[in-house]
């Protein structure tokens, strides 16, 4: 959902496009000397039906915020194996909190989504329906909780493994999504457009990976808020009035021997790295711990080349091993 992505690698990926379309101005003179440590352990799971293995690792790195040295890491992640005691069902998720209470929102949602999936008796009969139901119910719980989610919330990217299928709950970055929120009353403009520095009539909704440092945002008709750079999230009670929804779009991938791994990560990874670059980088490492560390270090470096800060960065790499066509 929103600004986090899952990328699934095939054995023969298309060629990576050259160039970086995300370059931003800004003084990047202050560069902290940060060494990204690879995760200490990787873990493995056997999926009995259809008999393959998954080896995974995760790394979450707090962002560098020179103006807010005490700012918490608002990313959260959840890895839950054998949902409902079933060795064929596993969950991986990254939750990217935002707003004053973003840390509390991401922590709340990561716990409750997997709990609801685990408690849903219809999970295996209709995983897509269970997925959507879990997010919508957790959204209502968050609204009713003690956490102030009026201008805070969390985006999410989660993967549910059910045998040799993966169900990916995410948010599309498409023109029809733009039109959907406009129909709900949102103004969709960049900050420069809202402030009168650029023509507000020029459409800026393009491919997510080609957007620069001033992405299109959602605004109420007669105000300078909430300014969300996403259309789907959990929480964000104010933004719901202009079309932001907690209902995810679920994609289904039938795994084959050509699928070597999948990556679940926050936009701290993808802000300056195209998806294919991440896939190519991760694919060079036999150990997912090394892949996590390499992608995080490269993302951190690119952030500081373009800005004086970095975002929080979280990445899960899940390798798929010994899957046959039988």
């Amino acid at each position: 959902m929103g600004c986090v992505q899952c990328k699934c690698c095939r054995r023969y990926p298309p060629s990576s496009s050259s160039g970086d379309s995300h370059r931003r101005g800004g003084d990047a003179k202050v560069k902290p000397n940060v060494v990204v440590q690879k995760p200490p352990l990787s873990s493995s799971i056997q999926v009995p039906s259809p008999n393959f293995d998954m080896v995974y690792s995760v790394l979450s790195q707090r962002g560098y915020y020179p103006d807010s040295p005490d700012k918490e890491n608002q990313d959260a992640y959840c890895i839950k194996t054998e949902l409902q005691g079933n060795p064929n069902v596993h969950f991986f998720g990254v939750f990217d909190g935002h707003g004053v209470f973003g840390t509390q929102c991401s922590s709340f949602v990561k716990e409750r989504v997997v709990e609801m999936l685990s408690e849903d008796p219809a999970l295996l009969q209709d995983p897509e329906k269970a997925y959507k139901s879990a997010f919508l119910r957790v959204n209502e719980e968050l609204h009713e909780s003690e956490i102030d989610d009026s201008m805070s919330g969390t985006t999410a990217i989660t993967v549910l493994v059910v045998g040799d299928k993966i169900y990916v709950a995410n948010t599309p970055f498409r023109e029809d999504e733009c039109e959907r929120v406009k129909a709900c009353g949102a103004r969709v403009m960049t900050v420069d457009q809202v402030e009168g520095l650029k023509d507000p009539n020029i459409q800026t909704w393009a491919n997510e990976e080609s957007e620069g440092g001033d992405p299109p945002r959602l605004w109420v008709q007669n105000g300078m808020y909430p300014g969300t750079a996403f259309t789907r999230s959990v929480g964000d009670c104010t933004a719901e009035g202009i079309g932001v929804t907690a209902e995810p779009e679920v994609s289904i991938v039938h795994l084959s021997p050509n699928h070597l791994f999948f990556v679940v990560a926050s936009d701290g990874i993808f802000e300056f790295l195209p998806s294919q670059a991440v896939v190519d980088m991760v694919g060079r490492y036999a150990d997912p711990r090394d892949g996590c560390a390499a992608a995080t270090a490269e993302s951190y470096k690119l952030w500081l080349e373009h800005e004086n800060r970095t975002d929080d960065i979280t990445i899960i790499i899940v390798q798929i091993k010994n899957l046959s066509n039988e």
Side-chain angles (χ1 to χ4, degrees):
M1 303 172 69
C3 54
V4 277
Q5 303 182 31
C6 172
K7 302 299 171 185
C8 192
C9 172
R10 288 183 176 273
R11 188 175 299 276
Y12 304 108
S15 300
S16 175
S17 57
S18 61
D20 182 1
S21 58
H22 289 282
R23 294 202 172 271
R24 285 186 262 196
D27 185 359
K29 294 179 181 178
V30 180
K31 295 184 178 181
N33 183 20
V34 174
V35 177
V36 175
Q37 300 289 341
K38 76 177 183 180
L41 296 172
S42 60
S43 301
S44 62
I45 313 166
Q46 184 179 31
V47 182
S49 178
N51 192 23
F52 68 95
D53 300 301
M54 294 190 296
V55 180
Y56 62 89
S57 188
V58 59
L59 192 156
S60 188
Q61 171 116 2
R62 176 188 175 273
Y64 169 65
Y65 303 102
D67 297 329
S68 303
D70 297 325
K71 188 175 186 293
E72 296 177 283
N73 183 352
Q74 292 189 309
D75 283 0
Y77 67 86
C78 177
I79 298 174
K80 175 70 173 176
T81 60
E82 298 192 7
L83 268 69
Q84 300 184 352
N86 190 323
N88 295 311
V89 184
H90 312 280
F91 178 88
F92 303 88
V94 171
F95 304 83
D96 186 346
H98 52 263
V100 175
F101 302 104
T103 302
Q104 293 92 323
C105 289
S106 61
S107 296
F108 181 94
V109 174
K110 79 156 188 177
E111 296 290 344
R112 289 299 293 138
V113 165
V114 73
E115 287 173 357
M116 285 195 175
L117 288 172
S118 298
E119 295 165 359
D120 191 335
L123 175 63
L124 297 182
Q125 286 71 36
D126 194 340
E128 182 174 353
K129 182 179 179 180
Y131 237 158
K132 292 182 178 181
S133 174
F135 274 104
L136 291 172
R137 290 168 59 199
V138 171
N139 189 54
E140 291 303 316
E141 282 192 359
L142 181 57
H143 291 341
E144 295 169 1
S145 74
E146 296 181 354
I147 301 169
D148 181 359
D149 71 342
S150 57
M151 297 285 282
S152 298
T154 183
T155 51
I157 172 63
T158 63
V159 174
L160 180 69
V161 179
V162 182
D164 60 355
K165 289 183 180 178
I166 62 173
Y167 296 79
V168 184
N170 197 4
T171 294
F173 194 93
R174 299 188 309 250
E175 187 173 348
D176 62 328
E177 191 74 354
C178 176
E179 295 305 318
R180 181 184 67 77
V181 294
K182 283 183 177 180
C184 294
R187 291 185 298 155
V188 181
M189 293 188 287
T190 66
V191 172
D192 282 351
Q193 287 176 318
V194 169
E195 294 180 346
L197 300 177
K198 291 184 179 179
D199 186 347
N201 296 314
I202 297 177
Q203 176 62 258
T204 60
W205 196 272
N207 181 278
E208 185 170 17
E209 292 186 345
S210 67
E211 282 302 326
D214 189 19
R217 297 176 180 271
L218 278 59
W219 314 86
V220 297
Q221 287 296 322
N222 298 305
M224 292 287 288
Y225 66 93
T228 61
F230 48 79
T231 60
R232 304 197 185 201
S233 73
V234 184
D236 293 288
C237 190
T238 300
E240 284 186 353
I242 53 172
V244 173
T245 177
E247 181 175 344
E249 182 168 275
V250 178
S251 302
I252 304 171
V253 178
H254 194 157
L255 297 176
S256 75
N258 286 333
H259 291 107
L260 304 182
F261 58 84
F262 59 83
V263 177
V264 186
S266 66
D267 66 345
I269 288 286
F270 294 106
E271 184 73 9
F272 299 105
L273 280 174
S275 300
Q276 190 59 53
V278 175
V279 167
D280 292 343
M281 184 181 305
V282 169
R284 290 197 290 266
Y285 296 94
D287 189 332
R289 297 178 301 165
D290 294 321
C292 285
T296 300
E298 181 66 13
S299 299
Y300 205 97
K301 178 177 75 72
L302 290 172
W303 270 99
L304 292 177
E305 286 179 1
H306 294 86
E307 298 194 0
N308 284 330
R309 68 171 188 92
T310 78
D311 198 356
D312 302 324
I313 296 172
T314 301
I315 180 171
I316 301 173
I317 297 174
V318 182
Q319 296 177 338
I320 301 163
K321 296 181 176 294
N322 306 316
L323 179 62
S324 68
N325 281 318
E326 297 178 0

